[in-house]
Amino acid sequence: MPFTLEDRLAVAELIALHGHFVDDGELDRLDELFTADVVYDLTDFGQPPLSGVAAVREAALALGAANPVAHHVTNVVITSWTDDRAQVRSKGLGVRADGSCGSVSYQDTVVRTPDGWRISHRRIVLRRIPLGGLSEPA
Amino acid sequence: MPFTLEDRLAVAELIALHGHFVDDGELDRLDELFTADVVYDLTDFGQPPLSGVAAVREAALALGAANPVAHHVTNVVITSWTDDRAQVRSKGLGVRADGSCGSVSYQDTVVRTPDGWRISHRRIVLRRIPLGGLSEPA
Amino acid sequence: MPFTLEDRLAVAELIALHGHFVDDGELDRLDELFTADVVYDLTDFGQPPLSGVAAVREAALALGAANPVAHHVTNVVITSWTDDRAQVRSKGLGVRADGSCGSVSYQDTVVRTPDGWRISHRRIVLRRIPLGGLSEPA
């Protein structure tokens, strides 16, 4: 099947749904977002990758009260695609219970499955310094 | 009329417009967002529902300087629809003058009217604790 | 060429890409966002407008560590369009290294070019007070 406008909207909604499921505590629905063998690349956090939906769910539960109270996803851009696979960049904003925020970038691979689009690979990079560390030549 | 891709985009823009109208002080345009008899469900805040556009406008004005300086809407997902009605989940981020943020979830019913899509029912839920309060089994 | 659904999605992605390029330090790609002669209206900040992509890049570099660590773009609404030009309202949320946030509104003119859609004029307005300063009649 060709990658249609409907696919573009479906992929954008897939990326957006993550925030709803996590913040509403619907962790039993993560299989609607991720492939069973999803790889969650946390290299930027100095952690090994998580493998599989169950590992992602357990990591969220283990983080517990240290999770943000809300996950807002913005800047969803589908940067390339074939019929059954696409690369997506987006940005995640985490709102903490104390009103402070943190920001990450998501780099996702999404794939078409018989049940719809799913994220098969997600790399998360924390935004620590402006301009990705770029600075003016001295 | 069937619910088309154009309708999906129109509904997403409708949800997004709310932040512009409120933050730009265009409260006289709220009838472009809501049906005349909109119900604003504030049960989660321990308040009775607001009924009608005028009541929504007055509530915003009454809140005055305690309003956020900006309302960012993200994670817009149309979860179900018929030809003339749709259910929409989205997330609202309020930025306060002191730089702190708060987050709510919106659960909207939108309806097709002769003037375009309008929100006929909005339920607002404040995000207070991570994972919607879900915790690991002890 | 008529302004199609594909154009609407392309314009929305153009607006969204800005945050990725800036936060990832890809300032050498700003010509994928802006026309060569873009005007950046900073009147609301008491500054003269920036003219041209190079000036926008230099301003970002000059701001250096005072830049937000992340630029989230939300509430993208295409308010009017002709075949080759559109007006777009969106909202920008800047996340600072200390976890605090600030919010601006963008008012953009985008134009169709042989290389795709580009922003030819951007006006930035800082959100300082709620409801755009609107208050209840005394």
Side-chain angles (χ1 to χ4, degrees):
Chain A
M1 282 193 283
F3 190 84
T4 63
L5 285 181
E6 292 213 334
D7 287 317
R8 286 176 71 160
L9 295 181
V11 166
E13 289 205 339
L14 173 74
I15 305 296
L17 263 180
H18 178 258
H20 289 292
F21 286 176
V22 172
D23 300 339
D24 291 359
E26 299 181 281
L27 298 185
D28 56 337
R29 297 183 65 182
L30 292 184
D31 59 351
E32 298 176 36
L33 302 180
F34 301 113
T35 60
D37 61 350
V38 61
V39 173
Y40 229 76
D41 181 341
L42 298 168
T43 306
D44 187 58
F45 295 81
Q47 294 177 31
L50 301 173
S51 288
V53 170
V56 174
R57 184 188 300 118
E58 283 157 25
L61 283 170
L63 196 54
N67 278 289
V69 297
H71 293 77
H72 291 259
V73 183
T74 69
N75 303 63
V76 180
V77 180
I78 303 174
T79 52
S80 66
W81 59 87
T82 60
D83 286 1
D84 296 320
R85 178 177 296 261
Q87 302 296 322
V88 189
R89 291 171 85 168
S90 63
K91 299 178 76 74
L93 180 88
V95 185
R96 303 185 194 98
D98 68 0
S100 69
C101 290
S103 177
V104 299
S105 290
Y106 294 118
Q107 298 168 18
D108 294 330
T109 302
V110 299
V111 295
R112 191 194 301 272
T113 81
D115 297 318
W117 289 92
R118 295 291 186 275
I119 300 167
S120 64
H121 190 280
R122 163 162 282 190
R123 182 173 170 231
I124 309 183
V125 177
L126 186 62
R127 292 292 146 209
R128 296 176 175 87
I129 50 174
L131 306 180
L134 188 72
S135 62
E136 234 168 340
Chain B
M1 283 193 282
F3 191 83
T4 63
L5 284 182
E6 292 213 334
D7 286 317
R8 286 177 71 160
L9 295 182
V11 166
E13 289 205 339
L14 173 74
I15 304 295
L17 263 180
H18 178 258
H20 289 293
F21 286 176
V22 171
D23 300 340
D24 291 0
E26 299 180 281
L27 297 187
D28 56 338
R29 297 183 64 181
L30 292 185
D31 59 350
E32 298 176 36
L33 301 181
F34 300 112
T35 59
D37 60 351
V38 59
V39 172
Y40 229 77
D41 181 343
L42 298 168
T43 305
D44 187 56
F45 295 81
Q47 294 177 31
L50 301 173
S51 288
V53 170
V56 174
R57 185 188 299 118
E58 282 156 26
L61 283 170
L63 196 54
N67 279 289
V69 298
H71 294 77
H72 292 260
V73 182
T74 69
N75 302 64
V76 180
V77 179
I78 303 174
T79 53
S80 67
W81 60 86
T82 60
D83 287 1
D84 297 318
R85 179 177 295 263
Q87 302 296 323
V88 189
R89 290 171 84 166
S90 63
K91 298 177 78 73
L93 181 88
V95 184
R96 303 186 194 98
D98 68 359
S100 69
C101 290
S103 177
V104 298
S105 290
Y106 294 119
Q107 297 169 19
D108 294 329
T109 302
V110 299
V111 294
R112 192 195 299 272
T113 80
D115 298 318
W117 288 93
R118 294 291 185 275
I119 300 167
S120 64
H121 190 279
R122 164 161 283 189
R123 181 173 170 230
I124 310 183
V125 176
L126 185 63
R127 291 292 147 211
R128 298 175 174 88
I129 50 173
L131 306 180
L134 189 73
S135 63
E136 235 167 342
Chain C
M1 282 192 284
F3 191 84
T4 63
L5 284 181
E6 292 213 333
D7 287 316
R8 286 176 72 159
L9 295 181
V11 166
E13 290 205 340
L14 173 74
I15 305 295
L17 262 179
H18 178 258
H20 289 293
F21 286 175
V22 171
D23 299 339
D24 290 0
E26 298 179 282
L27 298 186
D28 56 337
R29 297 183 66 182
L30 292 185
D31 59 351
E32 298 177 35
L33 301 181
F34 300 113
T35 59
D37 61 351
V38 60
V39 173
Y40 229 77
D41 181 342
L42 298 167
T43 305
D44 187 57
F45 296 82
Q47 293 178 33
L50 301 173
S51 288
V53 170
V56 174
R57 185 188 298 117
E58 282 156 26
L61 283 169
L63 196 54
N67 278 288
V69 298
H71 293 77
H72 292 259
V73 183
T74 69
N75 302 63
V76 181
V77 179
I78 303 174
T79 53
S80 66
W81 59 86
T82 60
D83 286 2
D84 297 319
R85 178 178 297 262
Q87 303 296 323
V88 190
R89 292 170 84 166
S90 62
K91 300 177 76 73
L93 181 88
V95 184
R96 304 187 193 97
D98 68 0
S100 69
C101 290
S103 177
V104 297
S105 290
Y106 294 118
Q107 298 168 20
D108 293 330
T109 302
V110 299
V111 294
R112 192 194 300 273
T113 80
D115 298 319
W117 288 92
R118 294 291 185 274
I119 300 166
S120 64
H121 190 281
R122 164 161 283 190
R123 181 171 170 232
I124 310 184
V125 176
L126 186 61
R127 291 289 146 212
R128 297 175 174 90
I129 49 173
L131 306 180
L134 188 73
S135 63
E136 233 168 341

